Amino acid sequence: AALLAAPTPVPALSALELLAQLRARLSRGDAAARAMAVDHREVLLRAYGPAGAQLVDSVLHFDFDTANALAEGLLTEATAEAPA
């Protein structure tokens, strides 16, 4: 009998990619942003600390304007710190 190859794991989104996707949803007022924040809460908290917690809390309270501004600020910081 032939052995089946183990499935290749799907790479997890980087925190930066996750943040960019979340911000895109927030800017459109997409309610799926809430599910995304719940599903990826731990990644956001690990990557962004208190600012990540504030972002998630804003999304969970449907304060998408505040969450969008926070996400935009975090993205700006992250891209400013990225090596050239």
Side-chain angles (χ1 to χ4, degrees):
L3 294 175
L4 295 175
T8 305
V10 176
L13 287 175
S14 74
L16 188 58
E17 291 168 324
L18 174 63
L19 185 60
Q21 287 186 19
L22 181 59
R23 184 184 174 278
R25 289 181 178 176
L26 289 166
S27 68
R28 293 190 307 262
D30 185 345
R34 190 173 193 279
M36 189 174 207
V38 169
D39 292 347
H40 300 286
R41 178 184 186 105
E42 291 305 313
V43 172
L44 293 166
L45 296 181
R46 266 196 312 276
Y48 302 109
Q54 189 179 1
L55 171 62
V56 170
D57 287 345
S58 295
V59 174
L60 295 182
H61 289 100
F62 293 100
D63 186 356
F64 286 7
D65 290 338
T66 297
N68 189 43
L70 288 166
E72 185 173 359
L74 289 170
L75 282 169
T76 300
E77 282 179 28
T79 53
E81 294 170 4

